[in-house]
Amino acid sequence: PGLVEEFTMEGVQSFFGSLWEEIKTGDVPTVNQNWGIVLFIVNIFLPGVGTFIAGLKGERNTTLVVGLLQFFLAFLLIGWIWSIVWGYFIYKKSSEGWLPK
């Protein structure tokens, strides 16, 4: 679903439902192998930025929001750790077609 597809209660609920599913399942966008390692490294040093770029490349608005959450929560360390884990998921999926369960 689009970020501002329809500003109705149903549209908002659908977007946040999709966002929660993505976070809960670790469903990261697919990028090619070269981008996977680059985005992993970027996520280590600039929390959330690699995830945000992956969302742009994968055309997934929910991943853009995840990247922003990681960036803004980095000062609490939870965003930074989340960003590193997410970067690893992006790398693994790009190199092996692996998805976290």
Side-chain angles (χ1 to χ4, degrees):
L3 188 55
V4 187
E5 214 172 82
E6 236 185 282
F7 196 68
T8 63
M9 187 54 107
E10 293 80 25
V12 171
Q13 287 175 335
S14 172
F15 176 78
F16 283 107
S18 298
L19 177 64
W20 177 245
E21 274 304 306
E22 183 171 327
I23 292 169
K24 192 170 67 172
T25 62
D27 181 20
V28 296
T30 303
V31 295
N32 70 39
Q33 189 171 8
N34 294 332
W35 272 105
I37 190 69
V38 167
L39 296 177
F40 181 29
I41 293 168
V42 168
N43 261 2
I44 292 170
F45 296 104
L46 297 169
V49 174
T51 303
F52 191 85
I53 294 169
L56 289 174
K57 292 190 66 55
E59 298 179 6
R60 291 174 54 178
N61 292 329
T62 52
T63 305
L64 298 175
V65 174
V66 170
L68 290 174
L69 288 170
Q70 292 169 350
F71 180 80
F72 288 113
L73 292 174
F75 76 97
L76 297 173
L77 290 180
I78 188 69
W80 191 18
I81 294 166
W82 182 15
S83 178
I84 292 169
V85 170
W86 217 257
Y88 178 74
F89 287 171
I90 292 168
Y91 166 70
K92 290 297 283 182
K93 186 175 181 183
S94 72
S95 63
E96 301 173 7
W98 173 83
L99 267 174
K101 301 283 183 209

